[in-house]
Amino acid sequence: MLKDMYQPNPEFAKNANIGSMEQYWELQNRATEDYEGFWKSFAEEKIDWFAPFTSVLDEFNAPFVKWFDGGKLNVAHQCIDRHLDTKKNKAAIIFEGDRGDKEVITYLDLYYNVNKFANLLKEDFGVKKGDRVVIYMPMIPEAAYAMLACARIGAIHSIVFGGFSSEALRDRIEDADAKVVITADGAYRKTKPYMLKPVVDEALKGETPVKKVLVVERNNEEVTWVAGRDYSYNELIQDKSATCDAEPMDSEDPLFLLYTSGSTGKPKGVQHNTAGYILWAQMTMEWVFDVKDNDTYWCTADIGWITGHTYIVYGPLAMGATTVMFEGVITFPDAGRPWKMVQEHRINQFYTAPTAIRVLHKMGEGEPAKYDLSSLKVLGTVGEPIDPPAWKWYYEEVGQSKCAIVDTYWQTETGGHIVSPLPGATPIKPACATLPLPGIMAEILDPETGEKVGEGESGYMCITRPWPSQIRGVWGDEERYKSSYFGDVKKDGKPVYFTGDGAVYSGDGYITITGRTDDVINVSGHRMGTAEVEAAIKKHDNVAAVAVVGKPHELKGEGIFAYVVLKSAEGFADEVEEVKAINTVIKQEIGNIALCDDMIFVPDLPKTRSGKIMRRILRSIAKGEKITQDISTLEDPSIVAKIEAMVNCATC
Ligand code: WTA
């Protein structure tokens, strides 16, 4: 039996959607015994089909799989239209702006707004089924309308996080071959306006596939308008009809692309398709957050990340819930802001990242106690392993020792949660993602043998059967899809999906995620490929070579540590200026989220004789650990001591 377990609150469990471990096992065993039957019944029950599917899972061409083939549906219909009979006046979205401005959007409002938006895209911009539309937006309701309008007409959206630079935006636009960009003039941050449109202008300079840009005027500040390309949403939307038929989509038609970091310098366009994605988004909302009809649910993510896609927009709306959308910064005007919002909106489920919890704890230790947080029932975390002190504070101070904490493990590619406690059933062990969700065949495998590892042992976090919301492809690159996810681990001779994460069975089959096994680091819950940061740094003229590694960071989880070899020794004349210059390049190439926490100029990097950089050594040095690896195979073993001395000197 596991020690230090927190049992579900019995009062809560009584009404929970899954209220006991018996129920959990009943579901999971059903899935194990009759996998297709399990998914068939949920797909029939949860989705409002225009035409029924004829097969459940087609693995003929694995790892390219098809779910619910033959079925026709529309995600905007699933998220809006089907609720109108029973919930037309229910709040679909509660928006709170950075300056405290509020707006309640009912399901009927949402229906009209999305229809008008869809008509605008079709009539004024000529957007058709299958076209790619890039959305580069702040956290305002129009961002959700844009997503749902694309879904309504069958266009494929690709949201680019508003913190990405013009270069990063340009890359994503080009890779997706997008013909339209939807943006805003700007938004507010800490009550100050900031601009987005100039970033779009920069990204579209020179040759571009983009023909038209739609600009939501939120700030009403002066921006440049390119005639024949840029149009005001606020003007065009005025005369649009509020009805627009939802396009019948095939189950396997693409719904969206979302670019994410991998182990090369080029981000991957992760493709999610229609039926399987929306089914699992909805089911996990019901199971993991246990949202009831009168509940108000708030996820603090940004729509630029998968968490914002699945758990601000698609999941909550698919189940007909009320979702809060927040434009501001959770520590502004002080670290009591989220708790003030919980009190005011009587929020029942609150979902955020460990990095936010650490910051809120550090900046506002006693803040939760100042507010009435009695409405809270479920607290969630996502994005990185949560450390026990942050978990404890969240549980005791925010949840007042009565709310379940669901430590949800998943990733862009899985579409929705994979391993997570169920708040009314699973005994919780702090900082542990616990068990695979019913229907998900997640196992920790030995990468060599493909066998499931034993209790207390670590291995690779894999998913051994296809699941409905799994990634369907890397946009435009079939090979990369296969090699990135199905190349490393084989079970019974067959390639299985590997998440890129390491994990350990920590008792009773419980899964504790230990972190990435590849060169992807997790900075404030943002996934960052070290190769992507290296590629940016290399663009600086004076950089000869670079290696980037992650280093534990008190608040961010991991920080970015760069070892840079300069071309010319003059670079050393003014180190501070050189660091600034390199960070400016990173800002241009990726954005502020990739700025280095530490940068050190070294004479060379530790390389094997075949030229491979030994990042493990660099990781150990960054952490201040003793080097235990064999360095005799290095081209120049003496470089290790030199780098160690430089790092110690810089950090002492
Ligand atoms: C990490 C975010 C530990 C993991 C939804 C994964 C986690 C990556 C957890 C995906 C968790 C996410 N515990 N690690 N609860 N949740 N991760 O694609 O390394 O932005 O592979 O999706 O975040 O990041 P992504």
Side-chain angles (χ1 to χ4, degrees):
M1 186 58 195
L2 291 162
K3 282 200 204 112
D4 306 323
M5 299 279 258
Y6 292 73
Q7 298 299 325
N9 179 337
E11 276 310 301
F12 176 86
K14 258 194 238 164
N15 293 315
N17 291 337
I18 299 181
S20 66
M21 283 313 279
E22 287 71 35
Q23 238 182 310
Y24 166 82
W25 282 115
E26 195 262 322
L27 282 163
Q28 189 61 318
N29 291 339
R30 223 172 93 200
T32 311
E33 282 153 25
D34 177 13
Y35 196 59
E36 292 198 16
F38 174 90
W39 287 112
K40 178 174 185 279
S41 68
F42 283 109
E44 282 171 349
E45 179 193 325
K46 305 286 178 191
I47 290 182
D48 196 8
W49 296 96
F50 295 173
F53 52 90
T54 47
S55 79
V56 179
L57 169 62
D58 175 351
E59 291 181 84
F60 184 72
N61 214 3
F64 298 92
V65 295
K66 288 183 185 168
W67 279 95
F68 314 120
D69 208 21
K72 296 257 183 211
L73 73 161
N74 182 285
V75 163
H77 172 92
Q78 179 75 8
C79 290
I80 310 170
D81 309 25
R82 75 183 188 106
H83 303 310
L84 293 181
D85 280 349
T86 51
K87 305 175 192 246
K88 64 177 184 296
N89 293 323
K90 175 174 174 171
I93 299 175
I94 295 177
F95 171 68
E96 183 155 333
D98 180 66
R99 294 159 301 164
D101 44 326
K102 296 184 179 77
E103 191 183 345
V104 176
I105 298 131
T106 65
Y107 272 92
L108 191 60
D109 295 331
L110 186 63
Y111 175 75
Y112 291 141
N113 290 332
V114 169
N115 285 348
K116 288 185 190 175
F117 209 127
N119 283 327
L120 187 164
L121 292 178
K122 273 205 298 199
E123 293 164 17
D124 297 335
F125 279 27
V127 177
K128 290 191 290 298
K129 182 176 170 181
D131 286 344
R132 272 80 58 212
V133 172
V134 162
I135 299 176
Y136 186 68
M137 292 274 267
M139 287 289 292
I140 54 176
E142 288 79 2
Y145 306 160
M147 295 164 78
L148 290 158
C150 287
R152 192 159 196 93
I153 62 177
I156 305 166
H157 63 69
S158 170
I159 306 188
V160 178
F161 171 59
F164 276 121
S165 69
S166 55
E167 271 304 310
L169 177 60
R170 185 208 305 274
D171 287 348
R172 286 157 177 77
I173 287 171
E174 281 176 1
D175 192 81
D177 196 22
K179 69 185 219 188
V180 165
V181 174
I182 304 173
T183 188
D185 52 358
Y188 294 91
R189 211 181 146 78
K190 301 190 178 175
T191 72
K192 303 228 165 40
Y194 72 91
M195 304 302 279
L196 281 174
K197 174 69 167 46
V199 184
V200 175
D201 291 335
E202 189 62 33
L204 299 183
K205 276 199 178 141
E207 239 179 82
T208 172
V210 171
K211 303 276 177 290
K212 289 198 158 57
V213 176
L214 187 66
V215 185
V216 176
E217 292 176 89
R218 167 142 179 84
N219 287 25
N220 291 311
E221 297 219 14
E222 213 37 60
V223 290
T224 313
W225 294 90
V226 176
R229 188 195 73 184
D230 301 347
Y231 295 87
S232 160
Y233 163 85
N234 309 49
E235 280 172 24
L236 293 187
I237 205 73
Q238 296 300 332
D239 65 349
K240 292 295 165 296
S241 154
T243 55
C244 173
D245 286 342
E247 182 80 26
M249 303 296 287
D250 288 337
S251 292
E252 286 296 339
D253 277 332
L255 178 66
F256 66 82
L257 308 180
L258 183 56
Y259 283 80
T260 190
S261 290
S263 40
T264 73
K266 188 175 174 321
K268 296 177 276 203
V270 170
Q271 180 187 330
H272 280 290
N273 289 2
T274 302
Y277 171 81
I278 200 67
L279 174 66
W280 191 234
Q282 183 177 328
M283 286 172 69
T284 47
M285 274 306 295
E286 292 175 11
W287 285 352
V288 176
F289 295 120
D290 204 78
V291 175
K292 296 288 192 282
D293 201 37
N294 194 38
D295 284 353
T296 305
Y297 157 92
W298 179 22
C299 165
T300 68
D302 188 284
I303 49 139
W305 309 113
I306 190 69
T307 307
H309 284 60
T310 310
Y311 296 113
I312 296 179
V313 179
Y314 288 122
L317 298 176
M319 74 165 294
T322 298
T323 181
V324 173
M325 200 171 174
F326 177 52
E327 181 192 30
V329 175
I330 53 168
T331 48
F332 183 83
D334 56 51
R337 179 77 184 262
W339 320 130
K340 182 163 178 275
M341 278 181 62
V342 167
Q343 173 177 288
E344 274 179 21
H345 297 285
R346 298 188 178 235
I347 284 162
N348 306 99
Q349 293 85 8
F350 177 72
Y351 190 30
T352 196
T355 187
I357 299 166
R358 286 190 294 267
V359 171
L360 290 168
H361 181 193
K362 187 164 182 197
M363 289 176 64
E365 169 85 56
E367 288 294 327
K370 296 184 189 159
Y371 297 91
D372 176 4
L373 304 182
S374 58
S375 58
L376 287 172
K377 294 189 285 190
V378 179
L379 300 173
T381 76
V382 57
E384 51 176 315
I386 180 167
D387 46 296
W391 192 95
K392 193 163 176 279
W393 185 76
Y394 201 29
Y395 184 78
E396 289 174 358
E397 303 301 319
V398 180
Q400 298 164 353
S401 304
K402 69 176 179 56
C403 299
I405 294 190
V406 289
D407 180 350
T408 62
Y409 166 73
W410 61 297
Q411 50 186 191
T412 304
E413 294 85 344
T414 65
H417 304 148
I418 289 298
V419 181
S420 172
L422 294 164
T426 318
I428 289 174
K429 187 178 151 197
C432 172
T434 74
L435 295 168
L437 288 172
I440 302 294
M441 302 299 152
E443 286 180 323
I444 309 174
L445 301 181
D446 180 319
E448 300 300 323
T449 63
E451 301 277 336
K452 187 170 167 172
V453 304
E455 284 299 340
E457 291 176 17
S458 54
Y460 281 16
M461 190 71 240
C462 295
I463 307 174
T464 57
R465 296 227 53 189
W467 67 105
S469 66
Q470 86 174 48
I471 173 176
R472 290 302 195 278
V474 172
W475 187 252
D477 199 341
E478 289 196 348
E479 263 320 299
R480 197 160 175 213
Y481 166 68
K482 285 198 258 182
S483 61
S484 304
Y485 303 107
F486 299 91
D488 289 333
V489 190
K490 286 199 176 90
K491 187 183 176 175
D492 303 327
K494 276 210 298 207
V496 293
Y497 177 88
F498 171 43
T499 57
D501 287 302
V504 55
Y505 282 120
S506 48
D508 283 5
Y510 273 31
I511 292 168
T512 299
I513 305 294
T514 48
R516 302 287 304 194
T517 61
D518 53 11
D519 287 323
V520 170
I521 56 179
N522 203 321
V523 185
S524 300
H526 297 157
R527 188 168 152 182
M528 188 76 58
T530 53
E532 212 178 322
V533 184
E534 288 170 5
I537 294 178
K538 276 188 201 144
K539 297 231 162 141
H540 186 279
D541 290 343
N542 200 21
V543 171
V546 55
V548 164
V549 297
K551 176 187 172 183
H553 187 282
E554 191 197 346
L555 294 177
K556 296 179 176 182
E558 274 185 293
I560 302 179
F561 194 117
Y563 296 87
V564 179
V565 183
L566 292 175
K567 278 183 193 157
S568 84
E570 282 92 78
F572 288 105
D574 194 342
E575 243 176 73
V576 177
E577 284 307 311
E578 201 70 25
V579 170
K580 263 200 214 154
I582 293 176
N583 268 324
T584 306
V585 177
I586 297 175
K587 216 165 138 176
Q588 278 159 6
E589 293 293 316
I590 306 177
N592 283 339
I593 53 172
L595 292 181
C596 293
D597 296 277
D598 296 276
M599 192 181 298
I600 192 128
F601 297 112
V602 292
D604 203 353
L605 298 170
K607 280 184 284 208
T608 59
R609 285 186 198 111
S610 60
K612 191 170 175 283
I613 297 169
M614 296 290 284
R615 284 194 174 67
R616 254 183 322 130
I617 294 178
L618 294 172
R619 269 195 289 269
S620 301
I621 298 177
K623 283 186 199 160
E625 289 171 359
K626 255 185 102 61
I627 305 291
T628 51
Q629 294 98 328
D630 174 17
I631 56 169
S632 62
T633 56
L634 293 181
E635 195 182 53
D636 171 15
S638 74
I639 194 69
V640 174
K642 284 186 204 150
I643 296 177
E644 259 184 313
M646 293 177 81
V647 171
N648 289 340
C649 173
T651 51
C652 63

